């Protein structure tokens, strides 16, 4: 009986460890939170555009439990000042932690911020890591890096990957690749990619640009649009 009691206690301890529960105060009441499931839910919502994180929970998940998704969320919250004091450098440290643990979204965001801060070489390493999954905006972010370096072949390659595969950033990639094609006078390529934006992604900017081309320039850019093209524009 004593052995059975000991085993039951051990099982309960293991269950508590695996559950990783914490108590927090919310609305004047004490709530018990399963850290793993809550952080996973926060993470999925955040990368899909819905931020509903409780700051104390993501901070605890990052600092106490070292959960990479919590590190990503905490880093983004600090960088953008979401529900806490903005601290860019500390936020970057937490994004790096998450990225170094293999989180693709963290690698993509960290690489993007590095690129914006002028650290292109290190940014490229993290963005190449991010495209292996790929992270939601990884192709687009890597396209931006190469665009900034005037490596137009690589920029075009990754913008097209973003347009064709996403998972997100298709419209933004179209906007930037139109700029690239404009510098190279690739008018028919501009028309082609704007059609993708207008008809496939229902992007208002692409629709506006395409309408202007049809109405004022014509589909062959001869400045002599047909009546059908004007109507379409």
């Amino acid at each position: 009986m004593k052995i059975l009691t000991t085993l039951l206690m051990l099982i309960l301890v293991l269950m508590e460890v695996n559950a990783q529960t914490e108590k927090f105060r919310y609305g004047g009441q004490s709530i018990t939170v399963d850290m793993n499931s809550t952080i996973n839910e926060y993470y999925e919502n955040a990368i899909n555009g819905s931020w509903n994180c409780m700051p104390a929970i993501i901070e605890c998940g990052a600092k106490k439990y070292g959960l990479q998704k919590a590190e990503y969320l905490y880093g983004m919250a600090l960088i953008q000042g979401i529900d806490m004091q903005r601290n860019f450098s500390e936020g970057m440290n937490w994004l790096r932690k998450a990225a170094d643990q293999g989180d693709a979204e963290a690698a993509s965001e960290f690489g993007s911020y590095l690129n914006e801060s002028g650290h292109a070489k290190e940014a490229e390493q993290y963005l190449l890591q991010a495209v292996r999954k790929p992270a939601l905006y990884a192709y687009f972010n890597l396209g931006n890096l190469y665009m900034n370096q005037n490596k137009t072949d690589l920029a075009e390659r990754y913008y097209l990957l973003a347009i064709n595969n996403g998972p997100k950033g298709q419209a933004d990639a179209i906007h930037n690749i139109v700029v690239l094609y404009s510098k190279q006078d690739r008018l028919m390529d501009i028309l082609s990619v704007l059609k993708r934006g207008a008809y496939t992604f229902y992007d208002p900017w692409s629709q506006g640009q395409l309408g202007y081309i049809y109405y004022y320039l014509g589909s062959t850019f001869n400045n002599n649009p047909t009546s059908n093209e004007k109507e379409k524009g």
Side-chain angles (χ1 to χ4, degrees):
M1 184 68 180
K2 186 175 181 180
I3 295 174
L4 180 61
T5 302
T6 303
L7 286 172
L8 287 172
M9 291 178 65
L10 180 60
I11 290 170
L12 289 172
V13 169
L14 289 172
M15 289 175 63
E16 185 175 351
V17 170
N18 290 332
Q20 294 187 321
T21 58
E22 287 285 338
K23 292 186 181 295
F24 297 91
R25 299 291 296 179
Y26 181 76
Q29 297 182 334
S30 177
I31 60 172
T32 300
V33 173
D34 183 302
M35 294 300 294
N36 275 304
S37 63
T38 302
I39 291 297
N40 286 340
E41 181 181 347
Y42 282 173
Y43 182 88
E44 290 302 318
N45 288 339
I47 65 175
N48 286 293
S50 177
W51 185 276
N52 62 342
C53 303
M54 184 173 167
I57 293 176
I58 60 174
E59 182 176 3
C60 177
K63 291 183 175 179
K64 183 174 180 178
Y65 292 100
L67 301 173
Q68 67 182 44
K69 292 179 179 178
E71 291 170 347
Y72 163 78
L73 293 168
Y74 189 48
M76 292 300 293
L78 285 166
I79 287 171
Q80 298 181 10
I82 306 173
D83 298 326
M84 59 183 66
Q85 184 68 37
R86 186 175 185 271
N87 189 324
F88 183 83
S89 61
E90 186 179 354
M92 287 289 280
N93 288 336
W94 285 105
L95 275 189
R96 184 192 290 272
K97 284 178 181 287
D100 288 344
Q101 290 187 63
D103 188 272
E105 296 301 330
S108 180
E109 293 294 339
F110 184 62
S112 179
Y113 283 120
L114 282 173
N115 182 38
E116 291 175 5
S117 303
H119 302 285
K121 186 175 181 180
E122 188 178 12
E124 183 178 27
Q125 296 174 2
Y126 280 94
L127 290 173
L128 287 171
Q129 173 188 328
V131 298
R132 294 189 192 113
K133 185 180 176 180
L136 295 180
Y137 287 91
Y139 291 133
F140 172 70
N141 288 337
L142 193 52
N144 285 343
L145 180 137
Y146 290 129
M147 187 77 153
N148 290 345
Q149 296 176 337
N150 203 31
K151 296 179 179 179
T152 54
D153 289 347
L154 286 171
E156 180 182 6
R157 174 186 174 188
Y158 284 101
Y159 284 146
L160 288 175
L161 282 168
I163 294 167
N164 294 328
N165 301 296
K168 291 191 175 181
Q170 292 96 329
D172 291 327
I174 287 169
H175 301 172
N176 288 7
I177 206 169
V178 165
V179 173
L180 188 154
Y181 288 159
S182 296
K183 292 178 179 179
Q184 299 173 339
D185 292 324
R186 293 166 60 179
L187 302 181
M188 299 313 296
D189 287 330
I190 291 173
L191 188 65
S192 176
V193 78
L194 285 175
K195 287 180 180 179
R196 290 285 304 280
Y199 296 125
T200 304
F201 302 111
Y202 306 103
D203 172 43
W205 183 86
S206 296
Q207 292 168 345
Q209 295 297 312
L210 190 60
Y212 179 90
I213 290 171
Y214 279 135
Y215 191 86
Y216 290 104
L217 306 177
S219 60
T220 59
F221 294 87
N222 64 356
N223 295 313
N224 189 26
T226 66
S227 57
N228 286 338
E229 288 174 336
K230 278 183 168 290
E231 184 177 351
K232 186 184 290 187

